[in-house]
Amino acid sequence: MEVRQLKHFLAVAECGHFTQAAKLLNIAQPALSISIKKFEQQLGVSLFNRAERRAELTQEGHVLLTHAKKILQQIDDAKLAIDELVGLKKGEVRLGAPSMVGSYFFPEIIMAFKSHYPQLTLILIDAGTQSIREMLLNGELDIGVIIDQDVPDELETDHLLNCEMLAVMGEQHALANRSSITFSDFFDQELVMFKPGYFHRDYMDRASRRYGHELKLSYETNLLAMILNIVKREFAVTALLDLVTEHEKGIKGIPFEDRIYLDLALAWRKDGYQSMADRAFIDFVKQYV
């Protein structure tokens, strides 16, 4: 089994099509087909069901896919470790954070980190916590911010901060003067929310089912700026973290009667190689917090 064969197999599995995979790999499609056929002969199994336009994984293909991803990730980690031994630093940190945390918690940290380590690049990726978990496990991110609850065994975590989720509305909204709000009153409002996969949306979906309500979604977007503009103009209300209401004018954050507190954590793969840049960023954030 060769690394090249695993890369060819993974490309076809992810594209679901030999022609698209060949373009991705920058090789001829017949050469890719021959490579996969030889690989199947070596293994003694069929990895793909070849339909007219699709290449779908067989049961054996699905089993190999999990191992192939891990093997290729470990090879990348090994190359990085060797590079650092000879003095070649990775030079970047790939950080995944939900929109609210990325917009209101990390900017000052990132600027301070960059001033201390000007030679390093920090790439901040906006995604929901479920997507961040998957990207961490797949090796697409080095570090991510996730909810510190039901964490997969493959991830290591370190506490980052505690936040409260609030009902958020315009300053002149009929409910804006309340000291707290019930879920029933909240779910009676026209709502603007992030799409599923973001922790506050998933929480509200569960809460609405628990209290026997349906979300009255007037707007659904992952653009935080759009959510804030809609709320400020009082077209709808939403639920956001208190770190947003602390920094934004024109909105009012009200606690729920059943208070909602969230523990956020930095996470990374336990079996993944941490570059010097990754370790420096984690230590810097811990000191900053």
Side-chain angles (χ1 to χ4, degrees):
M1 186 181 298
E2 300 177 2
V3 173
R4 173 180 55 82
Q5 293 172 315
L6 288 175
K7 289 182 176 179
H8 289 179
F9 163 73
L10 187 60
V12 177
E14 292 180 342
C15 293
H17 197 284
F18 277 85
T19 302
Q20 294 175 4
K23 290 180 180 178
L24 181 67
L25 294 166
N26 197 28
I27 63 174
Q29 190 270 327
L32 177 60
S33 297
I34 293 171
S35 174
I36 295 296
K37 192 65 178 176
K38 287 183 177 179
F39 194 26
E40 290 176 321
Q41 290 172 351
Q42 289 175 10
L43 295 175
V45 297
S46 294
L47 299 173
F48 296 99
N49 291 316
R50 294 161 174 81
E52 183 177 351
R53 294 183 178 276
R54 298 286 300 172
E56 297 181 352
L57 286 169
T58 62
Q59 182 177 354
E60 293 82 1
H62 280 290
V63 172
L64 178 61
L65 180 62
T66 301
H67 294 286
K69 288 181 177 179
K70 290 181 179 179
I71 291 169
L72 292 175
Q73 184 60 56
Q74 288 173 348
I75 290 172
D76 287 342
D77 289 346
K79 289 179 179 178
L80 176 58
I82 295 300
D83 285 345
E84 290 197 334
L85 285 175
V86 296
L88 298 175
K89 294 186 179 180
K90 178 181 179 181
E92 71 174 27
V93 178
R94 299 171 300 170
L95 170 68
S99 184
M100 287 180 277
V101 179
S103 297
Y104 294 95
F105 178 76
F106 275 115
E108 290 186 6
I109 294 178
I110 290 173
M111 288 185 288
F113 179 76
K114 184 65 176 176
S115 68
H116 279 75
Y117 302 96
Q119 78 279 15
L120 300 180
T121 300
L122 199 150
I123 301 171
L124 179 60
I125 297 171
D126 180 355
T129 52
Q130 290 301 323
S131 296
I132 290 171
R133 288 187 183 205
E134 291 301 317
M135 286 190 281
L136 285 169
L137 294 172
N138 293 334
E140 299 172 53
L141 290 174
D142 303 312
I143 306 166
V145 178
I146 64 173
I147 300 294
D148 200 3
Q149 181 179 349
D150 300 324
V151 178
D153 292 337
E154 298 87 347
L155 296 181
E156 187 78 35
T157 61
D158 199 332
H159 176 75
L160 182 63
L161 72 159
N162 299 108
C163 294
E164 183 174 7
M165 191 186 301
L166 306 174
V168 180
M169 60 206 65
E171 292 179 321
Q172 304 303 316
H173 193 278
L175 301 177
N177 291 324
R178 292 193 179 185
S179 58
S180 64
I181 186 171
T182 65
F183 282 118
S184 294
D185 286 341
F186 178 79
F187 291 128
D188 281 341
Q189 308 301 312
E190 298 292 328
L191 299 176
V192 53
M193 303 288 285
F194 282 92
K195 294 180 179 180
Y198 283 74
F199 53 82
H200 87 302
R201 169 61 186 277
D202 294 340
Y203 186 96
M204 287 303 168
D205 282 340
R206 293 193 300 270
S208 66
R209 292 191 294 269
R210 186 167 68 247
Y211 288 90
H213 290 268
E214 290 188 8
L215 293 182
K216 296 169 64 176
L217 282 173
S218 295
Y219 309 91
E220 191 179 47
T221 176
N222 288 344
L223 299 175
L224 180 57
M226 181 176 289
I227 290 176
L228 290 170
N229 279 321
I230 290 171
V231 170
K232 289 176 181 179
R233 288 168 172 77
E234 301 189 6
F235 289 115
V237 303
T238 190
L240 299 173
L241 297 181
D242 53 5
L243 58 85
V244 178
T245 60
E246 290 171 1
H247 293 87
E248 283 289 338
K249 296 180 179 179
I251 58 175
K252 180 73 178 294
I254 301 176
F256 289 94
E257 283 193 0
D258 295 326
R259 311 274 299 244
I260 306 171
Y261 294 101
L262 301 173
D263 289 324
L264 299 179
L266 287 179
W268 56 90
R269 286 184 301 121
K270 287 180 180 178
D271 63 350
Y273 177 77
Q274 280 192 338
S275 70
M276 286 186 264
D278 296 334
R279 294 194 297 273
F281 181 76
I282 292 171
D283 291 341
F284 188 87
V285 173
K286 290 167 67 173
Q287 293 176 10
Y288 189 94
V289 173

